[in-house]
Amino acid sequence: MDITVLSIFPKMFQALNESLIGKAQEKGLVNLDVVDFRDFTTDKQNHVDDAPYGGGAGMLLQAQPIYDAMDSVEKNKPGKKRVILLDPAGKTFNTKMARDFAKEDQLVFICGHYEGFDERVKDLVTDEVSIGDYILTGGELPTMNMIDATLRFVPGVLGNSFSAEDESFSHGLLEYPQYSRPADFRGKKVPEVLTSGNHEKIRVWRLKESLRKTLDRRPDLLENIELTDEEKKLIREIRSEN
């Protein structure tokens, strides 16, 4: 996968050279380039922002530097691209979106700053995306968030290919509780079923606990899931226990 980020703070993305994403780059599983679109401004003072027409607070990122930066990306990396604009008004990022992004050959992220973008920038993009109903100082941190979540679904990035499938939200539910050695730590014991060796009982316990956590903490998630008969039965059991 090839990822290009347009930002005026490229050094922030050095964090992605660490951990699993850094290793994925070393292995050639992902190529990550960060383009400083300030390099493409025609302003003598290297400004990439200006006051909005009609007045108002704050400054807007201008279309010209971003368009010229995208022209450069197209020239150096021809081919179909998914171009993602970080925008508080965009669709909320989730696991399904990360899976979809992971299927693409090329992703381009455009990071905003200041009060927003000249509206004409949006003609360049395929997706307008937000990470939640709150405002940050820029689009760099949300972009790193989305890159990290997306690359987990690129084959070979995770050491265990099943890890991404078992985690919270992968199937619409929160993840079940997990334990490691020792089996008894300061009187807090691992549930017996997990040490029983009975894989079917472990599977059912994990599913039930995943449903229990989702019911308790994020019941809204269940509204978008088509539950199996087994899951419906387990939910009835959980509710009868309360």
Side-chain angles (χ1 to χ4, degrees):
M1 171 178 280
D2 189 278
I3 298 175
T4 303
V5 179
L6 272 58
S7 167
I8 54 174
F9 296 104
K11 290 182 180 179
M12 291 183 69
F13 290 88
Q14 291 176 0
L16 295 181
N17 294 327
E18 303 295 329
S19 191
L20 290 175
I21 296 179
K23 292 179 180 178
Q25 292 184 71
E26 292 174 2
K27 294 177 183 177
L29 298 173
V30 59
N31 178 65
L32 176 63
D33 291 318
V34 185
V35 175
D36 186 346
F37 59 83
R38 193 184 296 277
D39 293 340
F40 294 85
T41 182
T42 57
D43 183 87
K44 292 181 180 178
Q45 283 76 40
N46 283 338
H47 291 159
V48 294
D49 61 317
D50 205 343
Y53 279 114
M59 304 288 276
L60 290 179
L61 286 170
Q62 297 170 288
Q64 177 271 316
I66 296 174
Y67 266 75
D68 285 358
M70 279 299 299
D71 287 344
S72 175
V73 173
E74 290 288 354
K75 180 180 178 180
N76 294 322
K77 299 179 179 182
K80 182 181 177 183
K81 297 173 180 61
R82 193 90 174 252
V83 182
I84 301 131
L85 182 73
L86 280 295
D87 190 325
K91 293 183 179 179
T92 303
F93 184 71
N94 57 26
T95 295
K96 182 181 182 304
M97 204 178 292
R99 288 179 183 273
D100 289 343
F101 287 172
K103 297 173 184 176
E104 303 290 339
D105 292 328
Q106 292 193 56
L107 296 177
V108 179
F109 292 87
I110 304 177
C111 302
H113 259 277
Y114 312 118
E115 195 64 23
F117 296 91
D118 183 306
E119 189 71 13
R120 290 166 290 191
V121 170
K122 295 180 180 180
D123 292 338
L124 295 170
V125 311
T126 58
D127 302 84
E128 296 175 37
V129 184
S130 166
I131 61 166
D133 295 335
Y134 52 91
I135 306 296
L136 298 177
T137 54
E140 284 76 17
L141 291 175
T143 293
M144 285 187 267
N145 178 312
M146 286 191 277
I147 290 174
D148 187 285
T150 296
L151 290 180
R152 296 177 67 80
F153 293 106
V154 172
V157 171
L158 294 182
N160 181 347
S161 61
F162 296 103
S163 295
E165 300 300 325
D166 289 338
E167 293 177 340
S168 293
F169 306 113
S170 291
H171 300 290
L173 300 174
L174 299 182
E175 190 178 12
Y176 49 80
Q178 298 200 66
Y179 300 84
S180 186
R181 293 183 178 85
D184 186 337
F185 176 69
R186 297 186 180 182
K188 300 177 187 295
K189 297 181 179 180
V190 173
E192 289 185 11
V193 64
L194 297 179
T195 60
S196 68
N198 187 317
H199 296 294
E200 175 59 16
K201 286 185 178 180
I202 292 172
R203 183 195 68 80
V204 173
W205 181 88
R206 285 176 168 171
L207 177 58
K208 186 174 182 178
E209 293 308 308
S210 182
L211 288 164
R212 189 192 306 278
K213 183 184 288 188
T214 305
L215 277 168
D216 180 53
R217 302 183 185 181
R218 289 292 305 277
D220 58 294
L221 294 175
L222 296 173
E223 297 173 5
N224 301 316
I225 300 173
E226 186 173 344
L227 296 170
T228 65
D229 290 340
E230 180 186 33
E231 289 167 340
K232 292 176 182 177
K233 176 176 178 291
L234 290 172
I235 287 176
R236 288 195 296 270
E237 288 180 9
I238 292 167
R239 285 175 171 159
S240 68
E241 294 168 2
N242 295 333

